[in-house]
Amino acid sequence: MSPETRLLAPEAEQIAYAAMMLAQGRLVAMPTETVYGLAADARNGQAVAGIYAAKGRPSFNPLIVHAPDLATAERIGIFDDAARRLAAAFWPGALTLVVPLRGGSGIASIVTAGLDTVAIRVPAHPVAQDLLYAFGGVVAAPSANPSGRISPTTAQHVMDGLGDRLAAIIDAGPCQVGVESTIIGRQGGKHVLLRPGGLPAETIADCLGEPLASPAANADPQRPEAPGMLSSHYAPGAPLRLNAREAESGEFLIGFGDIPGDTSLSASGDLVEAASRLFDALHRADATGRPIAMAPVPDHGLGRAINDRLRRAAAPR
């Protein structure tokens, strides 16, 4: 961590300092219930460009805007009845909605990567809420890690990956959910699951009263509609082998359920526990310098989000 980077406690005076840094166009790592986010003033294009530079993130990959409440979100995006119903049911929480960008919103065009839609969520973490209200605006905040690498669920993960590029990191302990938000958009009049995440897709479909569609097959991979859709993402430095029931020579095995491994996402097969431990387990495995093997995880509920991250982490790069 750079001497200029301040590690802050989740206290009012230090949150006020972080809000002041955001107002000055600086970058601040903030805790959310999903993962730690790298926040910048979403209305300040130069500040947001700093996010892309710090992460090494492709500029065609849009960012999620974090708002303190629905009223603020509606000043940025255009919500139809279904979007309001989802917001009422799941905000604050691990749901991101991709909605049409409202004219005159003031959001810097670099946030949306030139799209006419914007991805918005209202985080549930009390420290994120306190920071947003202290700042008095909205922030663009992707995960606070180098682009394409393992997402951070502790302040130490942030320090290890980006610590010398930030004004401040607010340390509020480990993230409770542990995987990024679920992203829902609209294509062809249907609600589409753009990214599985911390809110199970089945729960969202029940709220809507209709199944979620998959993204259009002809979607341009170099022009994603939402974050987290690139084929290679969330990746450790070491190669990752999926659906392993035992370790091969030299591998670090991450277990699940009745497959114990060197560490386990959940010995009891609890998907909530597994999601909260996923990125930390990948960080710890990667630190060994050994190839990584991952036990099978059921592909339903939060398991769908876990497997999405694992497939992208194991993709060729």
Side-chain angles (χ1 to χ4, degrees):
M1 186 171 68
S2 166
E4 296 181 358
T5 304
R6 288 185 56 175
L7 183 63
L8 306 177
E11 301 168 355
E13 183 177 337
Q14 300 200 35
I15 290 171
Y17 173 82
M20 181 177 69
M21 291 296 97
L22 290 172
Q24 292 178 6
R26 305 286 298 279
L27 303 182
V28 172
M30 69 176 189
T32 79
E33 73 278 21
T34 57
V35 300
Y36 273 74
L38 180 58
D41 182 352
R43 302 159 299 189
N44 182 334
Q46 185 172 349
V48 176
I51 291 177
Y52 286 97
K55 286 176 61 72
R57 183 184 178 96
S59 59
F60 57 73
N61 198 4
L63 304 175
I64 295 175
V65 174
H66 288 63
D69 48 45
L70 176 57
T72 303
E74 290 210 77
R75 293 197 287 270
I76 299 162
I78 300 171
F79 286 65
D80 60 16
D81 289 343
R84 287 193 191 94
R85 185 161 71 252
L86 291 175
F90 303 118
W91 280 358
L95 173 68
T96 293
L97 297 174
V98 176
V99 297
L101 180 66
R102 188 176 293 279
S105 67
I107 297 299
S109 61
I110 191 173
V111 172
T112 63
L115 299 172
D116 58 4
T117 55
V118 61
I120 311 175
R121 92 173 180 102
V122 175
H125 198 292
V127 175
Q129 283 279 316
D130 288 347
L131 178 61
L132 288 167
Y133 280 114
F135 175 52
V138 293
V139 299
S143 56
N145 59 288
S147 184
R149 302 304 298 273
I150 307 168
S151 297
T153 54
T154 68
Q156 186 64 53
H157 294 159
V158 179
M159 283 188 266
D160 291 344
L162 296 176
D164 60 347
R165 305 172 204 179
L166 315 180
I169 302 169
I170 306 174
D171 184 357
C175 299
Q176 183 177 8
V177 175
V179 293
E180 292 84 356
S181 59
T182 305
I183 303 180
I184 301 297
R186 294 271 282 181
Q187 291 178 354
K190 296 181 179 180
H191 288 92
V192 175
L193 178 65
L194 296 174
R195 179 180 74 182
L199 181 65
E202 296 91 335
T203 304
I204 299 167
D206 286 346
C207 179
L208 290 169
E210 62 183 61
L212 297 174
S214 299
N218 63 350
D220 183 351
Q222 297 306 309
R223 192 170 173 79
E225 185 173 340
M229 296 183 71
L230 299 181
S231 59
S232 178
H233 209 48
Y234 316 107
L240 172 62
R241 183 170 67 91
L242 303 183
N243 298 314
R245 297 197 170 272
E246 59 184 22
E248 296 181 351
S249 178
E251 287 183 329
F252 185 102
L253 176 61
I254 301 174
F256 178 83
D258 58 4
I259 300 175
D262 296 285
T263 188
S264 179
L265 295 186
S266 175
S268 65
D270 184 322
L271 291 172
V272 174
E273 181 181 37
S276 71
R277 291 182 174 180
L278 173 63
F279 289 132
D280 188 60
L282 286 172
H283 277 286
R284 286 188 284 115
D286 204 29
T288 69
R290 296 156 58 186
I292 305 167
M294 179 68 226
V297 176
D299 201 37
H300 59 77
L302 285 177
R304 190 170 182 178
I306 293 168
N307 283 316
D308 171 79
R309 303 309 188 271
L310 289 170
R311 283 190 293 269
R312 294 177 195 275
R317 53 188 188 275

